[in-house]
Amino acid sequence: MTAALCAVALLPGTAHADNPIVQHIYTADPAPLVHNGRVYLYTGHDEDGSTYFTMKDWRVWSSADMVNWTDHGSPMSLATFSWAKQDAWAGQAVERNGKFYWYVPVVNRATGRMAIGVGVADSPTGPFRDAIGHPLVENGEIDPTVFIDDNGQAYLYWGNPNLWYVRLNADMTSYSGGVNQIPLTTAGFGTRPNGGSRPTMYEEGPWVYKRNGQYYNVFAAKCCSEFIGYSTSPGPTGPWTYRGTVMPTQGSSFTNHPGIVDYKGSSYFFYHNGALPGGGGYTRSVSVEKFAYNADGSIPTINMTNSGPPPADTLDPYTRQEAETINWESGIETEPASEGGMNIGWIENGDNVKVRNVAFGAGAKTFTARVASASAGGAIEVRLGSATGTVVGRCTVAGTGGWQTWTSVSCPVTGVTGTQDLVLRFTGGSGYLFNVNWWQFAA
Ligand SMILES: [Ca+2]
Ligand SMILES: [Ca+2]
C-alpha cells in the first residue's frame, strides 16, 4: 500500500457522465481494437502531475458495452524494450493469426532519436514482449498506425511532421519495399493558415483504415491546439483528398488523437482531452463518442461530450464481474491481484464504483464479493442507480490478514430486478478498508 499511485482527484458524481472512460489514472492516445466480441483499448499513460509528455508505460482496457471498462493494467512499458530510453508515446495494436502486435514510438537510447518498436503477445491483454529486440523503423518520427488490407497486405504509417509508410511482411515484424513518404499536398491534407514549414493541416497521429472500399486517414490537424481532420483515398497509399473536420478544437488539451472502430452495429470515435480534475495538455484522458457515417461515407462533425455513448449492451451480474470493470468511480485505484488480473484498492470510507446497465432480470437474491484486507475491513453497500440510491444489500468484510489474502463474502439482497445501474459503496472506519477482486450475484 505504501507504493500507492497518487489518486486522480475526484469528480462530482454527475448523472451519466461516462466520459472520460477512465477516472483513476490519466490516459492518452487511444487505439481501439475489436476482437472476439470485445473492444480492447490501448492507451498511453500520463503520470500524475506531468508538466511534459512524461510517459513510462502503456495500458490496456476492454469493454463489451462501451460504458463499463475493465482495467487490464500495464502489459507493456519502456522496460519491455531494452533499447528504449524514454517516451512511451502513441501506438496501435492489431491482431494477425492469433498474435497481437503493438507498434509504439520510443526514444532509442543508442541514437537519441524516436524509433518505432513492436511488442507481441498471445492475448490482447498481453503480456507483451519485444518482438525483434530492436527498432522496426527509425527516422526520428512518431505515431504509428497499422492497417491490414483485405488482400492481407499490412501497412504501418507514422510521422510528425512528415507522413511515412512501410509495407509490413506477413510476420508483421519486418517490411519490404523500403520506407516510403506520402506527399503532404494541400489537396490531400488541406491548407494550414500561416502554415510556413507545415503548409498542410496534417500534424501527427494518423489513424488509417478501410470502409466500403474507401481508405480513411484520420489525423491530428494543425497545431496548437489541434483539431481532428481526415482525408480519403481510393487506395492505401493515395492519392489522398482532404475531407475536413472530424472533431473541432475542444477540451483543455492542446493535442488530440483519433481512434475509430465499428462495434455491435455502431461506429465509435475515441479521442483525448483534459477533462479530469488536474487535467490538461500533459494530463489527458481518453473519451469516446458514438457516431454514424453519412450516406456518402463522409464522417460527421463529432463534438466532445461528458455523457459519452449509450450502452451497446447489458452487463450480466450472474457471471463473475471484475471489480475493476468500472463505469465511474470515486476514490479507488487498481493494482495487479495475486489471483490474476487486477483488483481495486486504496478503498476508504465513502469510495464507490458504478457499473451501468446491469441486467438483473427477475431478481437477484445474493451478492458475493472476493475481498482481502490487512486492516479491520468494513462493509460493501449494494446500491441501485447512484451512490445515494437505495441500499438493497450490505456485506460485512472482516480483516483477512493481508491485502492479497483473498476470501469470498456473501449477503442477501432484496428488490434487485430489471436493468439498472449498480453502485458498490464502501464504508468503514479510517484508513484503507479492503480490496475487491471480483463480484457476482446469484438469482
Ligand atoms: Ca481511496
Ligand atoms: Ca479482478
Side-chain angles (χ1 to χ4, degrees):
M1 281 300 186
T2 52
L5 304 168
C6 293
V8 171
L10 309 184
L11 286 181
T14 47
H16 285 231
D18 293 353
N19 279 331
I21 285 172
V22 177
Q23 305 94 48
H24 59 280
I25 63 169
Y26 295 113
T27 54
D29 301 322
L33 170 68
V34 174
H35 175 72
N36 232 357
R38 284 184 80 81
V39 56
Y40 293 86
L41 178 62
Y42 299 81
T43 74
H45 171 208
D46 284 337
E47 298 289 319
D48 287 6
S50 284
T51 56
Y52 183 62
F53 298 112
T54 307
M55 306 174 77
K56 302 171 181 173
D57 59 3
W58 296 271
R59 298 281 170 145
V60 183
W61 320 84
S62 74
S63 178
D65 54 29
M66 287 285 174
V67 296
N68 300 301
W69 289 88
T70 303
D71 184 342
H72 297 287
S74 175
M76 196 166 85
S77 72
L78 290 175
T80 303
F81 303 96
S82 62
W83 50 271
K85 180 184 178 189
Q86 62 189 48
D87 298 345
W89 288 1
Q92 185 183 351
V94 69
E95 184 268 345
R96 185 161 200 164
N97 296 331
K99 291 199 182 304
F100 297 82
Y101 299 90
W102 195 351
Y103 301 86
V104 289
V106 291
V107 170
N108 183 350
R109 181 185 295 106
T111 63
R113 291 200 305 175
M114 290 303 293
I116 293 167
V118 53
V120 63
D122 299 322
S123 148
T125 57
F128 286 81
R129 60 189 184 277
D130 188 349
I132 50 178
H134 55 81
L136 173 65
V137 287
E138 175 177 333
N139 66 358
E141 298 199 33
I142 59 174
D143 285 358
T145 179
V146 62
F147 158 70
I148 304 174
D149 208 343
D150 299 331
N151 64 4
Q153 177 63 59
Y155 297 85
L156 187 77
Y157 307 77
W158 76 99
N160 173 354
N162 302 296
L163 180 55
W164 310 87
Y165 71 93
V166 293
R167 289 182 174 86
L168 291 169
N169 296 328
D171 63 11
M172 300 300 278
T173 58
S174 62
Y175 59 90
S176 298
V179 175
N180 308 284
Q181 191 165 4
I182 293 176
L184 291 176
T185 64
T186 54
F189 296 91
T191 302
R192 187 183 305 217
N194 308 310
S197 65
R198 294 182 187 238
T200 79
M201 290 293 195
Y202 179 82
E203 179 75 12
E204 59 181 357
W207 180 266
V208 177
Y209 65 101
K210 185 181 188 178
R211 179 179 182 272
N212 292 344
Q214 180 164 247
Y215 296 78
Y216 291 75
N217 183 348
V218 183
F219 53 87
K222 203 173 66 64
C223 187
C224 293
S225 296
E226 295 174 343
F227 70 95
I228 302 296
Y230 79 113
S231 303
T232 58
S233 168
T237 63
W240 295 94
T241 300
Y242 184 58
R243 301 294 296 271
T245 298
V246 175
M247 174 171 274
T249 301
Q250 294 174 348
S252 52
S253 162
F254 63 88
T255 66
N256 200 347
H257 190 288
I260 292 179
V261 289
D262 286 349
Y263 183 66
K264 293 188 175 175
S266 296
S267 298
Y268 293 90
F269 180 78
F270 291 78
Y271 60 98
H272 69 222
N273 61 19
L276 278 185
Y282 304 115
T283 43
R284 298 162 291 178
S285 291
V286 169
S287 288
V288 61
E289 309 293 345
K290 181 178 172 178
F291 75 99
Y293 289 89
N294 297 315
D296 64 358
S298 60
I299 303 174
T301 300
I302 303 166
N303 291 300
M304 299 181 181
T305 75
N306 291 325
S307 53
D313 212 334
T314 54
L315 187 136
D316 181 1
Y318 302 113
T319 62
R320 167 175 162 164
Q321 294 291 344
E322 300 303 321
E324 64 275 17
T325 297
I326 297 169
N327 167 253
W328 200 261
E329 59 80 18
S330 177
I332 64 92
E333 304 288 345
T334 63
E335 64 183 347
S338 63
E339 297 184 317
M342 305 287 281
N343 62 260
I344 62 170
W346 293 271
I347 291 171
E348 295 158 285
N349 183 45
D351 291 351
N352 59 80
V353 168
K354 179 182 181 181
V355 288
R356 272 192 72 187
N357 216 36
V358 182
F360 291 105
K365 292 289 188 291
T366 308
F367 171 79
T368 298
R370 189 72 171 168
V371 296
S373 174
S375 67
I380 303 174
E381 295 176 350
V382 181
R383 291 177 179 257
L384 298 180
S386 75
T388 56
T390 307
V391 177
V392 294
R394 188 175 182 279
C395 270
T396 299
V397 178
T400 64
W403 294 113
Q404 294 291 328
T405 304
W406 297 98
T407 191
S408 296
V409 295
S410 294
C411 53
V413 294
T414 55
V416 187
T417 61
T419 297
Q420 314 216 35
D421 295 349
L422 168 71
V423 172
L424 304 181
R425 184 174 181 272
F426 311 113
T427 64
S430 62
Y432 297 124
L433 305 176
F434 49 86
N435 293 340
V436 187
N437 185 0
W438 53 263
W439 54 265
Q440 181 169 354
F441 286 82

